[in-house]
Every structure is written in C-alpha cells, then in structure tokens.
Amino acid sequence: MGNSDDQWLEKFRQVSRDYSDASVIMHEVIAGKAGLTGADHKYLGLIIKKGESTAGEIAEITGLTGGAVTGLIDRLEKKGLVKRSPDPQDRRKVMIIPQVKKAMSLLGPVFSDLQERTKDLVSSFSAEEREIIERYFVAATGIMHDVTRNLRNKPK
Amino acid sequence: MGNSDDQWLEKFRQVSRDYSDASVIMHEVIAGKAGLTGADHKYLGLIIKKGESTAGEIAEITGLTGGAVTGLIDRLEKKGLVKRSPDPQDRRKVMIIPQVKKAMSLLGPVFSDLQERTKDLVSSFSAEEREIIERYFVAATGIMHDVTRNLRNKPK
DNA sequence: CTTATTTAGTTTAGTAACTAAAATATTTAA
DNA sequence: TTAAATATTTTAGTTACTAAACTAAATAAG
C-alpha cells in the first residue's frame, strides 16, 4: 500500500471518528430533550430492540449489575416507558415490557428532523452507492463486535 | 420515492444504528482496558483533539460545569494523561496540556487490532468506493451537528 | 416429602462523578 | 484604590453505580 493510501487512511479515520463523536453528542442531547439521561436513553433503546424480557436479561445486554437494573427499570417505569409484569410461570421472574408507543411519542418528535434529513441524504446516493455504504457499515460493525469480544476475553 | 426505497431506508437506519451502538460499546470496553471510565476516555479524546487549552475551554467543549472539569482534570492528571500549567500571562488561568505520547502508549496497544482490521477493510474498497463512503460520513456528520444545534436552541 | 441449594430480583451501604453555589485569586474598569 | 468581572477550585447535596446481603420462589437430593 502506497503513501497516498496511508494519507487517505488517516483522513478516513478522522472522518469516522468525527461521525462517532457527533453521534454520541447528538444522542445525549436527544435524551436530554426527552427527560432522560444519555445512559437511560441508550438502555431504553436496547430494551426496545430486545423486546419483552426479564430483569436478568436486561442486566446481561446492558452489562449492568442487578441492583443497577432495578434502579433503571424504576426510573423508566415512572416515566411510563416500560411496565413490570410478574411471570405467572415462574413467580420469581419479572417481565419487563417496553412501552414502544409511549417511547415513540416521546422520542419521535425529537428524531423527526434527523430522520427527514437522513432520508434526503441517502436519496442523493444511487442504489449502487447506497449498497457500498451499507456494505462498509455492516463490515465495520462486525469488526467492532469482534474487537470488543477479544478485549473482553483478553486476560490482561 | 417508491416503496422499495422506503424499505431500503428502514434497513439502512437499522444498519447505521447497529454501527453506532457497536461503536459506543467498543469504546467503553477500550476505556475500561485503559483504566478509564467511558466518559473520561471520551473527554480525553476531545482534549487531545483540541490541544492545549484552559479549564474553561474544556468546560465548553465537554459541556461539563466548572467543578466537574476540576475533577476530570484531577483524575487525568493523576494518570499522567494531562498536565496543569499556570498561564504566566493571566495567573487565574490554568493551561491543560494533553500528554499525547502518554495517551498513545496507554491506548495505542488497545486500538491496534481495530486499526489493523479497519485498514484491511478500507483496502478492500476501490478509491471511488472509499470516496463515496467518506462523502456519506461527512454529510451525515454535518446533519448530526445541525440537529444537535437546533435541539439545543429550541425553547421547548 | 421436607430440607438444602440454586435462581431471580430487590434492598442496602458505600463510592464516584455530577451540578449549583460559595469561596479564592487575579485581572480589568471606574 | 476600590469595585466589578473573570477563572478556577472547593463544598454540599444528588444521582446512579457496584458488591454484598436479603427475600422469595423453584428445583434437587436424601
């Protein structure tokens, strides 16, 4: 790989870092507008994506301890964003049911500007171009998952 | 825009959300490996990007209050990642000097796997394809900055 | 069976990092 | 030379976290 490729790579890294930074900051501001902390907003997204699940499962997907999950669910429940419902099959368990409609009505208006403009942006690319972008995203996501897993398992 | 475009858009949104989620999680794990919290890692990145600056400027770019910046700098200084240096021109000011070498030596090894694999991934795209991906990133970053600014200024 | 162990979630005690406001030190303006 | 403004730190109070103790329910073992 030649020198100009290395320069390009450095620029590309900067561009993708800027993208990630902007994304994190934007999501924090969105969360604030909806009366949530950045962390609670992120976790709510995970809970909605997963769908109905137990407190234990939420601890796993969020990486939080049991006690922290209790607090998280307390806060989200108080805002009507999830509901607790005891599992009749196993009465130790508590099913956490995301209230998707409520979440949509809370977050939707805040997201609408972003979605509109993103739609316009992707429309400005041809189908072939969009396929290239998507291919990059999917591959990069896979790499990040791998790196995360490797770091977690590394002894040091 | 036809129906199949809408479906594509929905899929694209999912893909880019997955990318952002993976990025956030990975950076938290990277921070942990380096003995930092996710927040401190993020702020250190901002401080390095900005270069030498005052505590007040750091409060602005991070969105933290003055007191929180004092605590942040205390923690980073204890780890040797920044240095405090009183400004001789204005002795109320404290210049915060990021110790880039130290940060590199701490974070570099943790990032190396990611950088290697990202390099391989981008190499698998042609120059024209890479230009398309970069163009998308830059435009999307601009949109996110705009949306963030609009939300911050919105009265509601 | 009925007692011990495991599992699920919550509660508690202690900690870390935040905000808002008061305090300190220095500079600029009156 | 005093008053006001600016830059940072300190303090007091809050929030959300972890680790460990606790409660309740299900499963296993003698």
Side-chain angles (χ1 to χ4, degrees):
Chain A
M1 197 186 254
N3 194 277
S4 74
D5 282 329
D6 284 354
Q7 277 178 259
W8 192 90
L9 182 64
E10 196 39 57
K11 193 186 170 200
F12 186 85
R13 278 186 182 140
Q14 186 59 55
V15 166
S16 70
R17 205 166 348 193
D18 287 349
Y19 175 89
S20 292
D21 289 350
S23 171
V24 169
I25 291 167
M26 182 186 68
H27 282 281
E28 262 164 29
V29 174
I30 286 173
K33 282 286 158 183
L36 298 169
T37 65
D40 281 4
H41 178 218
K42 182 179 73 182
Y43 297 142
L44 177 61
L46 290 176
I47 291 168
I48 287 174
K49 190 170 165 185
K50 173 99 168 59
E52 197 165 314
S53 46
T54 66
E57 288 169 333
I58 288 172
E60 269 197 20
I61 62 175
T62 58
L64 293 173
T65 58
V69 170
T70 298
L72 168 67
I73 301 305
D74 285 348
R75 292 191 300 277
L76 294 179
E77 193 174 38
K78 204 172 289 175
K79 296 201 166 68
L81 295 165
V82 303
K83 275 204 174 116
R84 278 190 172 90
S85 163
D87 182 343
Q89 255 68 52
D90 181 344
R91 284 163 37 229
R92 291 168 306 178
K93 291 188 181 174
V94 179
M95 300 307 293
I96 310 302
I97 302 146
Q99 303 302 100
V100 181
K101 272 188 191 170
K102 176 82 182 187
M104 288 295 181
S105 72
L106 183 67
L107 293 166
V110 188
F111 269 110
S112 62
D113 183 27
L114 173 69
Q115 295 207 322
E116 178 92 17
R117 298 185 60 177
T118 301
K119 186 174 175 174
D120 289 349
L121 175 61
V122 300
S123 301
S124 75
F125 288 88
S126 72
E128 292 74 27
E129 289 172 332
R130 298 189 313 222
E131 186 275 327
I132 290 160
I133 298 163
E134 183 177 335
R135 187 150 46 86
Y136 176 81
F137 267 128
V138 171
T141 302
I143 289 175
M144 291 191 286
H145 280 143
D146 275 5
V147 169
T148 301
R149 185 165 359 93
N150 290 342
L151 283 176
R152 282 199 172 123
N153 295 340
K154 208 181 283 182
K156 202 226 147 187
Chain B
M1 197 186 255
N3 195 277
S4 74
D5 282 329
D6 284 354
Q7 276 178 257
W8 192 90
L9 182 64
E10 196 40 57
K11 192 186 170 200
F12 186 85
R13 278 186 182 139
Q14 186 59 55
V15 165
S16 70
R17 205 167 350 194
D18 287 347
Y19 176 89
S20 292
D21 290 349
S23 172
V24 169
I25 291 167
M26 182 185 68
H27 281 282
E28 263 164 28
V29 174
I30 286 174
K33 282 286 157 182
L36 297 169
T37 65
D40 281 4
H41 178 218
K42 182 178 74 181
Y43 296 141
L44 177 61
L46 290 176
I47 291 169
I48 287 173
K49 190 170 164 185
K50 173 99 170 58
E52 198 164 314
S53 46
T54 66
E57 287 170 333
I58 289 171
E60 269 197 19
I61 61 175
T62 58
L64 294 173
T65 58
V69 170
T70 298
L72 168 67
I73 301 304
D74 285 349
R75 292 191 299 278
L76 294 179
E77 193 174 38
K78 204 172 288 176
K79 297 200 165 70
L81 294 165
V82 302
K83 273 203 176 119
R84 279 189 171 91
S85 162
D87 181 344
Q89 256 67 52
D90 181 343
R91 280 158 46 223
R92 292 167 306 178
K93 290 188 183 175
V94 179
M95 300 307 294
I96 310 301
I97 302 146
Q99 303 303 100
V100 181
K101 273 189 191 169
K102 175 83 183 188
M104 288 295 180
S105 72
L106 184 67
L107 293 166
V110 188
F111 268 110
S112 64
D113 184 27
L114 173 69
Q115 295 207 322
E116 177 92 17
R117 298 185 59 177
T118 301
K119 185 175 175 175
D120 289 349
L121 174 62
V122 301
S123 300
S124 76
F125 288 87
S126 72
E128 292 73 28
E129 290 172 333
R130 298 188 314 221
E131 186 276 325
I132 291 159
I133 298 163
E134 183 176 334
R135 188 151 44 88
Y136 176 81
F137 268 128
V138 170
T141 302
I143 289 175
M144 292 191 286
H145 280 142
D146 274 5
V147 169
T148 302
R149 184 164 359 92
N150 289 342
L151 282 175
R152 282 200 171 123
N153 295 341
K154 208 181 281 182
K156 203 225 145 185

